[in-house]
Every structure is written in structure tokens, then in C-alpha cells.
Amino acid sequence: MHLKSKKLTATKGRSKSDSGQRITLRKLAEHLGLSRTTISTILNDVPEATRFPEETRRRVAESAKKLGYRPNYFARSLGRKRSYLIGVIAPDLGNGYEAALLSGFERRLLNTGYTCFISNHFWSPPLLERHVVTLCDRGAEGLLLIDSTPSESPGIPTVTICTDRSPKWSTRVSIDNAFGIWEAINHLAGLGHREIAFIKGPEGNGDTEDRWSAVLATCKKLGVRVDPRLTVQLERLDRHAEEGRIAAQKLLRSGKRFTSLVAYNDISALSAMTALREAGHKVPEDVSVMGFDDIEFASIACPPLTTIRQPLHEMGATAAELLLRKFANDESVRNICVRPELVVRSSTCPPSLARRRTEARVQEPSLTKCS
């Protein structure tokens, strides 16, 4: 079929869409001399499209591509009664923990046809509630909530990660905090540390109480005293990096000696290491430091951080898999608890080794210049 409409003829190799003008289904139908229903059926590749000759289907597809036609997404969604949208809500996807979860989540959704709409609520409960309502109103088929628990059910399939509770209306992917904390403190105790300082997570964070309960239980079992003077809490939810630095400074000002530090997460551990160095302490010679998460920056820190590795990409992928199964009405979907692992790097060492290094520096004879 010849192109009859001059308005739709590409100029100098450019389609009309290149100039910013949208090609509508009506104009494409006029150009091809076919009905809009016929074109829509063919482009949406529904089963009924096979009743049209292969040449017609090829001509429709080639013309749509050449002229830059894109189907109206919302109109198509209404026709299919599906949106293929998933809402993702988190406090702040700018940090390594949540970004790694999202990466694994989106990779699992590749080639499934689903698209993510992402919203940050920056620890504001009203903003969290608003995001939930907005995403549901705009047709989201499901939600991934990272460290975010709205006050009531969104009414659509939902998976949560790092929440302080597991509502009946959601499916939860969580980490075995008790096992991770045991691995962390047992590692330090095995090195000979007994004077251990702790940076507790902020109130309102999904893992704070779970990890702190695990700290108390583990220390009791190992015979390690938890000294209140060596326990500080991150205050603000939105700035773990700065809070970790402040927490380490508080520990140093307490005047209470400690040979190791267990931080709530990697971000607070890394910033605590900075504060220790600024105060003239060496890591790990003076203070061993332990993190939790194993974000990307942990392995390239100076020194590389010993930490508890959460399989963040895998947890994100698992969350996506659970949502897909919920969409398919799979009644076997259950909460999943993932076991972390200890990753030993250079930020921890035995306190006896640290003392020997210090003594060696003190006792080393000074060199006098020969005349």
C-alpha cells in the first residue's frame, strides 16, 4: 500500500515523532486504510491477531515503527485490565542497602513486562501513606515496601523487606538477625575481645529491636558484658553516615576503654571508622570495627570492613519472585527468612596483637644520626 498522507511522510529520514508530534492510532489507521480495532489487535499481539494475513500484520508493524507510533499505555491497560506496574516505596533509595535490593528486584522482573514506579518517603509517615494511595490509584498491581509499613492494607499484593512487623496482608522477606549478630560477636569474642562497644540502630527502623535483642542474648551466652556506657543509639533515620560518626565520638568521650565496636550497619560502621581515625586511633590496631549488610563500599574501605553479609541482590530478586507468584494467585507463598554470613576483612584483629604492635612502636629504639 502506498503512503498517501503527506502529513505522515517522513522528512529527511525523520518520523513525525522525532519532531515531538505524537502519531495517534486514528492517524495511523487513516494512513494504512485499516480500522483502529484491526491495528490495535495486531499491535497488541492478542490471539485474535492471527486471523489477519501475515502480510497485513507485517505492514502494520513496519508502518508503526517507521512513523514512530506508540500505543496509548492507559488505554491499552484498560483494554487488558492490567497495568503491569509495580510500586516500590522506600525511605531513601540513595544509600547502598536499598539500592542493592532494588537492583536485584528489577533484574528479576526483566522480560516479564513489568515496570517499577519508585517513590522515596524520607521517613515521613504522611508521605508514605500518600505514596501508597497514589500508586494504587494509578493502577499499580503490586507493591514492594522496603523498611516502610503503612498503617493499613493497600488492598493489592504486597511484599515487604526490612519491616518491624509482618502485617497479615503482606509477605515478608527478612534476614536472620539473630544468626548474623551471633556470627559478629562470636567472631570478636573468638579474637579475644571482651570490651565491646555497640552502636544501636535508630528507633523506627525495621531491624533495630530485632538486632538489639540478638546482641543481648548473644553476649549473655558468650559471657560478654554489655556496658551501658559503651552503648549509643543512632538518633536520626535519615542520616546514618553522620550519625555513625557522632555515635563514635560519644563513645570516645565516655572515657570507657573499648577494643572493638559493633555497628548497626555498614554505613554507621564506616563513618565510625572515620571518627576513630580523626581521634588518632588506628583500625584495627586500636579498635576493631564490625559492620552489618556488606554494601558495595564495605570491601573498598580503608581498611576493608569486616561485616555480616546480607545477600541483598538475592533478597530483592526473591521479593520480585514472591510478587509474581502472588499475581498468579499462588497460595503457597510464605514469608522467607534469609541467613546472612560473616565476611572477615581487615578491620578486625585480636586485641593482644594490637597491644603488641603498640608496645613494639613504643619500645623501638630511636635512631641517632651518626656524625
Side-chain angles (χ1 to χ4, degrees), residues 226-247:
V226 178
D227 191 330
R229 293 171 295 176
L230 291 180
T231 302
V232 293
Q233 184 164 24
L234 302 176
E235 296 295 333
R236 291 185 54 176
L237 293 165
D238 58 348
R239 57 175 199 178
H240 285 192
E242 180 62 23
E243 283 292 314
R245 189 170 182 164
I246 294 172

Side-chain angles (χ1 to χ4, degrees), residues 67-132:
L67 298 170
Y69 169 74
R70 291 185 301 151
N72 184 290
Y73 177 80
F74 290 103
R76 184 172 62 178
S77 297
L78 287 173
R80 292 181 174 181
K81 297 182 179 180
R82 297 290 304 276
S83 69
Y84 288 92
L85 296 177
I86 295 176
V88 178
I89 303 177
D92 185 358
L93 285 162
N95 69 56
Y97 172 84
E98 291 163 342
L101 289 172
L102 179 60
S103 176
F105 184 79
E106 290 194 301
R107 283 180 181 276
R108 174 58 186 87
L109 293 178
L110 290 176
N111 303 318
T112 65
Y114 284 95
T115 299
C116 294
F117 276 3
I118 302 169
S119 299
N120 297 296
H121 57 75
F122 304 108
W123 305 105
S124 166
L127 190 54
L128 165 60
E129 303 290 344
R130 189 193 314 167
H131 285 330
V132 171

Side-chain angles (χ1 to χ4, degrees), residues 20-165:
Q21 299 182 36
R22 184 182 179 88
I23 302 300
T24 65
L25 179 62
R26 180 180 62 79
K27 290 181 180 179
L28 183 60
E30 292 175 353
H31 164 67
L32 289 170
L34 299 171
S35 72
R36 283 179 283 180
T37 301
T38 296
I39 294 175
S40 179
T41 301
I42 292 173
L43 292 180
N44 286 325
D45 197 26
V46 296
E48 291 81 2
T50 56
R51 65 187 174 88
F52 297 106
E54 183 178 348
E55 170 62 23
T56 300
R57 299 200 301 271
R58 181 190 61 78
R59 185 160 55 87
V60 169
E62 290 180 352
S63 295
K65 181 177 180 180
K66 182 177 181 179
L67 298 170
Y69 169 74
R70 291 185 301 151
N72 184 290
Y73 177 80
F74 290 103
R76 184 172 62 178
S77 297
L78 287 173
R80 292 181 174 181
K81 297 182 179 180
R82 297 290 304 276
S83 69
Y84 288 92
L85 296 177
I86 295 176
V88 178
I89 303 177
D92 185 358
L93 285 162
N95 69 56
Y97 172 84
E98 291 163 342
L101 289 172
L102 179 60
S103 176
F105 184 79
E106 290 194 301
R107 283 180 181 276
R108 174 58 186 87
L109 293 178
L110 290 176
N111 303 318
T112 65
Y114 284 95
T115 299
C116 294
F117 276 3
I118 302 169
S119 299
N120 297 296
H121 57 75
F122 304 108
W123 305 105
S124 166
L127 190 54
L128 165 60
E129 303 290 344
R130 189 193 314 167
H131 285 330
V132 171
V133 172
T134 299
L135 288 168
C136 290
D137 287 348
R138 295 188 180 183
E141 294 188 24
L143 292 177
L144 170 64
L145 302 177
I146 302 175
D147 203 1
S148 309
T149 308
S151 59
E152 57 186 36
S153 169
I156 57 177
T158 302
V159 173
T160 60
I161 300 179
C162 187
T163 51
D164 56 354
R165 60 187 185 277

Side-chain angles (χ1 to χ4, degrees), residues 206-321:
D207 288 316
T208 293
E209 291 307 318
D210 201 15
R211 289 185 193 171
W212 186 245
S213 296
V215 165
L216 298 178
T218 299
C219 287
K220 182 178 181 180
K221 189 170 184 178
L222 293 175
V224 176
R225 180 170 181 265
V226 178
D227 191 330
R229 293 171 295 176
L230 291 180
T231 302
V232 293
Q233 184 164 24
L234 302 176
E235 296 295 333
R236 291 185 54 176
L237 293 165
D238 58 348
R239 57 175 199 178
H240 285 192
E242 180 62 23
E243 283 292 314
R245 189 170 182 164
I246 294 172
Q249 292 169 345
K250 288 180 179 178
L251 289 170
L252 292 171
R253 287 198 301 268
S254 72
K256 179 68 175 176
R257 180 178 182 272
F258 57 97
T259 62
S260 61
L261 168 64
V262 176
Y264 170 71
N265 57 13
D266 285 351
I267 296 176
S268 57
L270 294 172
S271 55
M273 283 167 54
T274 299
L276 290 169
R277 285 195 297 268
E278 290 175 345
H281 299 282
K282 294 182 179 295
V283 176
E285 290 89 341
D286 299 327
V287 180
S288 289
V289 177
M290 168 74 68
F292 200 117
D293 286 342
D294 197 27
I295 60 175
E296 183 178 358
F297 300 112
S299 63
I300 60 175
C302 183
L305 182 66
T306 296
T307 188
I308 300 300
R309 174 181 292 160
Q310 296 196 63
L312 298 176
H313 287 87
E314 291 82 352
M315 289 170 67
T318 298
E321 180 65 30

